[in-house]
Amino acid sequence: MSTLVIQDLHVAIDGKEILKGLNLTLNTNEIHAIMGPNGTGKSTLASAIMGHPKYEVTSGSVTLDGEDVLEMEVDERAQAGLFLAMQYPSEITGVTNADFLRSAINSRREEGDEISIMKFIRELDSKMEYLEMDQDMAQRYLNEGFSGGEKKRNEILQLMMLQPKFAILDEIDSGLDIDALKVVSKGINQMRGEGFGCLIITHYQRLLNYITPDHVHVMMQGRVVKSGGPELAHKLEAQGYDWIKEELGIEDETVGQEA
Amino acid sequence: MTVETKLALTEQDVRSYSSAKQEPSWFAEYRVQALLAAENLPMPTPDKTKIDKWNFTNFPVHSVESTPFASIAELPEEVKAIVNNEQKSVYIQRNNTPAFLQISEELLAQGVIFTDIFTAVREHSDLVQKYFMTNGVKSDEHKLASLHAALLNGGVFVYVPKNVELVEPIQVVFLHDDAQASLFNHTIVVADANSSVTYVENYLSTVPESAGLVNIVSEVFAEDNARITYGAVDVLAKGGTTYVNRRGIANRNARIEWALGLMNDGDTISENVTHLVGDASYGDTKMVVVGRGNQKQNFTTKIIHWGKHSEGYILKHGVMKDEASSIFNGIGKIEHGATKSNAVQESRVLMLNEKARGDANPILLIDEDDVTAGHAASVGRVDPLQLYYLMSRGISKQDAERLVIHGFLAPVVNVLPIEGVKKQLTEVIERKVR
Ligand SMILES: Nc1ncnc2c1ncn2[C@@H]1O[C@H](COP(=O)(O)OP(=O)(O)O)[C@@H](O)[C@H]1O
Ligand SMILES: [Mg+2]
């Protein structure tokens, strides 16, 4: 079993503190959901864990099986087993999806032990089929001209090809119609199990109808303010966030506000 | 013969070099007149690059002797790597020495002339005289053109007779494996009426650093209805400065397509001009560049429309690494009377880090109303979020940059008209970005 531990994490962007002491522990074989209204720091958390260049960790720690993640370069974090499905994936001209994925897979293997082209194509084909993606997506330039839904599917394709220990999925459900949502959920559910932990960031309960989380956390003002089981998501769906704000005496849930 | 001098040669040096090469007297006179004229001619003035401090005149020796190659098997590995096994017609010049020539049955049977420039001057004097620095690059344009004519010490001559359409490409390798060597190569490619040819040249240094100069001129003539596809992959070592002038003249309904990979490691001034002289002529320049180290470069690509219904296209992408800096001048010029012409150009420059510099300078000069024209240019730094995205999948920073660079150049490399050049360039780019 692997464990990702986030302790008292403070993160600033352009000198402004966004995360203000966040604590969270994830184990493999668990699926956590982080919910919260817009502007509460969810993407900041995801970006800080992965090492986005604009986010500065001012204090606190992130460790993966005891290893200091914050000391690692971005590629080393990925090699260590972290994966982030980004809210806004980059587009890269001239680099085909297939070449990119093969480089990513080979980056985890020794020189001279690269994945065979045949094996790679077989895996890619079968996973694309599973995600109901057009085969020509493999030869298109990475995310260039992809629709919102295609980009999200492509993030899940990468997840399935790379098989990380922990995946953070930042609003993987946003902009998806119901069919695409089902396909994306199918992909995530296939990953579910021993050796895989997942942090699903969303502000809708909708996705959680297809992927039942083991733990649900609510973020406000750059912290986790409430945690519970799947029933917490249902309660949020039925009643919104106001009851939590009342319970905790929060007036404005976004960051930059103090309770 | 080796002439040793620190400065440019004297008239007597030029005469004795010429006579040692058994050149006809018109050629010897041309050299001498050019040498004398060089004194008073101004330097060329590439837009936005000051070259008055650059060394274009001092070189260790005018000419070095190198050992020819008896067979393909004897070629150095670096040359073998770029001369395809199926390549039937190939000429190799080693520094200043004609070193190997192989001509296919196809060329011989059809009366194609393919030979080193010295042999051409001796054996096809009239033909050379018709094309040598008359209508293409003129020796009195500036000091470097006249020095080139005076000091010419290599090059190749290709003549494709009327109605001959060559399928096999012709390849020339200018191997530079002597750090003392200077290259004053002159290339002439003539496609006579209704003919076609694909010509590929490689400038390849296998020494890490060069003390010599490079001042090379190519003149390319597509006569009526002829078609020339001209590929060049320049990979010259750092050290010496390079002036390279490749010029084309397209007559009626003729096409000249350039596929240029300009990958020198030294300071380089490159000028590529196509004159669309005939009606319905067509010019297309595709160029990729990777600059690295602290080299300074200036790339001018220009298409001048004289004929009606002429079409000119320029597409160039450059990547600047390290502290390299480059100017990309793109000029589409439509002369009065060139009605219904179309001038289109696109220049894109990607800078990999803070100290790299790039400047794209698109210019349209239009002296006729009834034409179409367009240009697009961009200069930008690599997007750190792209690198972050790639790295977040486990790809190292270096590999991420490599992917972004290949990707940036791919829209040009993928549409190059010569497969062999595409493949070579992909490999050179790979070496340069590693
Ligand atoms: N580039 C930025 N510069 C300054 N503030 C930012 C920037 N990006 C985000 N923020 C601030 O951080 C807050 C949290 O952003 P984010 O983590 O994206 O929230 P969420 O993902 O929960 O919607 C935003 O409301 C905004 O105030
Ligand atoms: Mg967000």
Side-chain angles (χ1 to χ4, degrees):
Chain A
M1 189 187 76
S2 284
T3 309
L4 181 68
V5 181
I6 301 153
Q7 267 177 328
D8 193 29
L9 191 66
H10 291 251
V11 176
I13 178 163
D14 295 335
K16 179 180 159 199
E17 184 163 72
I18 311 282
L19 294 192
K20 299 166 181 174
L22 186 138
N23 295 291
L24 194 65
T25 297
L26 304 182
N27 293 309
T28 43
N29 208 11
E30 288 175 6
I31 293 201
H32 292 239
I34 288 199
M35 304 186 69
N38 269 326
T40 52
K42 301 186 299 296
S43 291
T44 303
L45 171 64
S47 302
I49 295 172
M50 203 68 230
H52 186 298
K54 282 207 98 174
Y55 294 79
E56 187 200 350
V57 175
T58 49
S59 66
S61 69
V62 178
T63 55
L64 173 58
D65 296 333
E67 298 278 331
D68 185 352
V69 169
L70 300 177
E71 277 295 302
M72 300 178 194
E73 297 295 333
V74 176
D75 55 323
E76 293 168 339
R77 297 181 195 201
Q79 306 265 356
L82 298 181
F83 180 92
L84 168 59
M86 297 194 192
Q87 191 171 357
Y88 304 108
S90 289
E91 301 186 359
I92 299 172
T93 290
V95 178
T96 65
N97 221 1
D99 281 350
F100 157 66
L101 269 170
R102 204 147 56 87
S103 298
I105 289 172
N106 285 334
S107 73
R108 291 162 169 73
R109 304 168 68 113
E110 292 299 315
E111 215 173 306
D113 182 39
E114 286 85 1
I115 187 169
S116 84
I117 305 258
M118 288 308 298
K119 179 156 190 262
F120 171 73
I121 291 175
R122 261 201 320 274
E123 278 185 25
L124 184 62
D125 279 354
S126 82
K127 283 175 176 144
M128 287 180 76
E129 200 180 309
Y130 191 80
L131 294 172
E132 298 169 33
M133 293 171 76
D134 252 355
Q135 293 297 327
D136 73 356
M137 301 274 288
Q139 290 311 318
R140 282 173 61 187
Y141 291 160
L142 179 52
N143 291 325
E144 194 180 71
F146 285 24
S147 70
E150 285 173 334
K151 282 183 183 162
K152 301 292 179 177
R153 271 181 219 226
N154 205 36
E155 294 291 287
I156 298 303
L157 175 66
Q158 294 170 39
L159 168 70
M160 294 177 75
M161 291 294 285
L162 297 176
Q163 300 280 321
K165 285 186 194 142
F166 288 100
I168 304 164
L169 312 177
D170 192 0
E171 300 214 14
I172 196 72
D173 51 342
S174 71
L176 293 186
D177 62 28
I178 194 74
D179 291 333
L181 190 71
K182 283 182 185 166
V183 168
V184 161
S185 308
K186 192 170 84 164
I188 300 163
N189 281 324
Q190 204 205 40
M191 293 288 298
R192 193 167 193 161
E194 288 298 330
F196 178 68
C198 189
L199 181 62
I200 296 174
I201 295 175
T202 179
H203 55 258
Y204 299 112
Q205 129 81 18
R206 199 174 65 141
L207 177 66
L208 306 182
N209 291 334
Y210 300 95
I211 309 165
T212 309
D214 302 301
H215 303 275
V216 174
H217 313 275
V218 176
M219 255 183 95
M220 287 184 181
Q221 296 177 333
R223 291 188 196 90
V224 171
V225 293
K226 196 165 188 68
S227 295
E231 72 293 339
L232 179 54
H234 290 119
K235 189 167 177 190
L236 292 170
E237 167 79 350
Q239 302 181 19
Y241 289 99
D242 285 350
W243 63 274
I244 299 186
K245 288 160 71 176
E246 255 165 55
E247 197 177 289
L248 299 172
I250 294 172
E251 281 190 7
D252 184 340
E253 71 279 10
T254 59
V255 299
Q257 311 299 321
E258 290 303 327
Chain B
M1 192 204 82
T2 303
V3 182
E4 301 233 28
T5 169
K6 276 285 170 203
L7 294 162
L9 312 195
T10 65
E11 178 180 337
Q12 192 45 51
D13 296 329
V14 168
R15 281 194 193 281
S16 56
Y17 180 79
S18 178
S19 85
K21 292 284 181 193
Q22 298 168 319
E23 292 170 0
S25 60
W26 73 266
F27 202 74
E29 279 318 306
Y30 196 107
R31 286 180 178 274
V32 168
Q33 292 314 315
L35 183 74
L36 299 177
E39 297 256 325
N40 298 315
L41 283 168
M43 289 294 285
T45 50
D47 216 11
K48 298 202 168 180
T49 302
K50 261 173 75 88
I51 58 168
D52 49 334
K53 301 261 177 357
W54 292 33
N55 171 32
F56 288 103
T57 48
N58 287 327
F59 48 88
V61 290
H62 172 246
S63 148
V64 297
E65 282 296 341
S66 309
T67 312
F69 302 107
S71 68
I72 295 256
E74 272 189 24
L75 297 175
E77 290 306 318
E78 296 94 326
V79 177
K80 279 186 190 153
I82 55 175
V83 177
N84 185 319
N85 278 336
E86 276 122 61
Q87 183 63 42
K88 297 204 177 81
S89 298
V90 55
Y91 169 63
I92 294 164
Q93 178 179 310
R94 185 175 191 182
N95 306 303
N96 311 122
T97 304
F100 183 79
L101 176 65
Q102 172 178 294
I103 307 183
S104 73
E105 294 298 323
E106 186 198 10
L107 264 67
L108 285 174
Q110 301 193 86
V112 173
I113 301 171
F114 176 35
T115 181
D116 68 86
I117 194 80
F118 302 111
T119 304
V121 170
R122 278 196 307 270
E123 296 180 6
H124 307 279
S125 175
D126 292 351
L127 208 46
V128 174
Q129 193 166 14
K130 177 173 171 193
Y131 290 104
F132 180 76
M133 300 193 97
T134 54
N135 278 329
V137 178
K138 296 178 187 66
S139 63
D140 60 0
E141 283 178 17
H142 48 63
K143 193 189 286 289
L144 296 185
S146 63
L147 281 176
H148 168 86
L151 304 177
L152 184 150
N153 64 1
V156 66
F157 183 76
V158 177
Y159 175 81
V160 184
K162 286 194 177 71
N163 304 319
V164 171
E165 296 189 43
L166 294 179
V167 182
E168 304 280 342
I170 288 175
Q171 186 176 11
V172 174
V173 179
F174 295 104
L175 171 63
H176 173 242
D177 65 356
D178 180 337
Q180 297 300 303
S182 285
L183 305 178
F184 299 98
N185 289 340
H186 196 93
T187 293
I188 295 176
V189 178
V190 180
D192 215 331
N194 306 311
S195 71
S196 72
V197 60
T198 295
Y199 168 90
V200 179
E201 70 184 4
N202 298 86
Y203 274 91
L204 176 65
S205 291
T206 56
V207 285
E209 196 151 351
S210 165
L213 291 181
V214 177
N215 176 342
I216 54 189
V217 173
S218 290
E219 300 185 277
V220 174
F221 302 92
E223 302 292 2
D224 292 354
N225 298 312
R227 175 175 185 154
I228 297 175
T229 307
Y230 191 113
V233 181
D234 297 354
V235 192
L236 288 167
K238 63 176 190 252
T241 50
T242 295
Y243 171 74
V244 49
N245 185 341
R246 294 187 171 105
R247 194 170 299 179
I249 311 270
N251 287 293
R252 190 169 46 77
N253 206 33
R255 291 169 75 95
I256 297 181
E257 293 179 59
W258 304 94
L260 308 175
L262 305 182
M263 302 285 164
N264 290 345
D265 276 333
D267 295 349
T268 298
I269 301 294
S270 166
E271 195 185 321
N272 172 238
V273 181
T274 309
H275 288 276
L276 300 177
V277 173
D279 290 349
S281 54
Y282 178 101
D284 183 307
T285 300
K286 293 193 175 76
M287 188 178 111
V288 290
V289 171
V290 176
R292 66 176 174 185
N294 57 7
Q295 68 180 141
K296 294 190 169 36
Q297 301 189 90
N298 182 297
F299 303 97
T300 297
T301 42
K302 184 174 181 178
I303 298 184
I304 307 173
H305 300 248
W306 305 87
K308 297 185 199 338
H309 292 273
S310 56
E311 288 180 64
Y313 300 93
I314 296 171
L315 173 66
K316 47 186 182 180
H317 283 201
V319 172
M320 290 304 118
K321 289 177 60 180
D322 308 328
E323 296 172 34
S325 84
S326 285
I327 307 288
F328 291 79
N329 296 313
I331 305 163
K333 185 160 193 273
I334 302 184
E335 300 289 346
H336 186 65
T339 52
K340 310 279 187 208
S341 286
N342 184 26
V344 178
Q345 62 164 297
E346 180 179 332
S347 298
R348 309 223 174 263
V349 186
L350 178 71
M351 291 169 291
L352 232 50
N353 48 39
E354 284 304 312
K355 286 181 172 162
R357 291 271 172 280
D359 188 5
N361 188 20
I363 301 169
L364 284 171
L365 301 166
I366 298 183
D367 212 0
E368 173 59 55
D369 292 330
D370 187 13
V371 298
T372 51
H375 64 72
S378 65
V379 176
R381 288 192 193 284
V382 68
D383 177 358
L385 292 188
Q386 287 187 335
L387 296 181
Y388 165 62
Y389 184 72
L390 295 171
M391 289 173 73
S392 78
R393 300 314 186 228
I395 297 171
S396 67
K397 177 152 195 232
Q398 201 180 20
D399 279 346
E401 286 186 349
R402 199 175 54 83
L403 282 173
V404 168
I405 294 172
H406 275 293
F408 182 80
L409 299 176
V412 188
V413 174
N414 290 346
V415 296
L416 289 177
I418 308 170
E419 281 307 313
V421 170
K422 242 187 233 186
K423 190 167 156 285
Q424 275 183 38
L425 265 181
T426 305
E427 283 159 17
V428 177
I429 293 166
E430 181 64 31
R431 282 205 303 278
K432 288 199 85 162
V433 301
R434 206 178 275 158

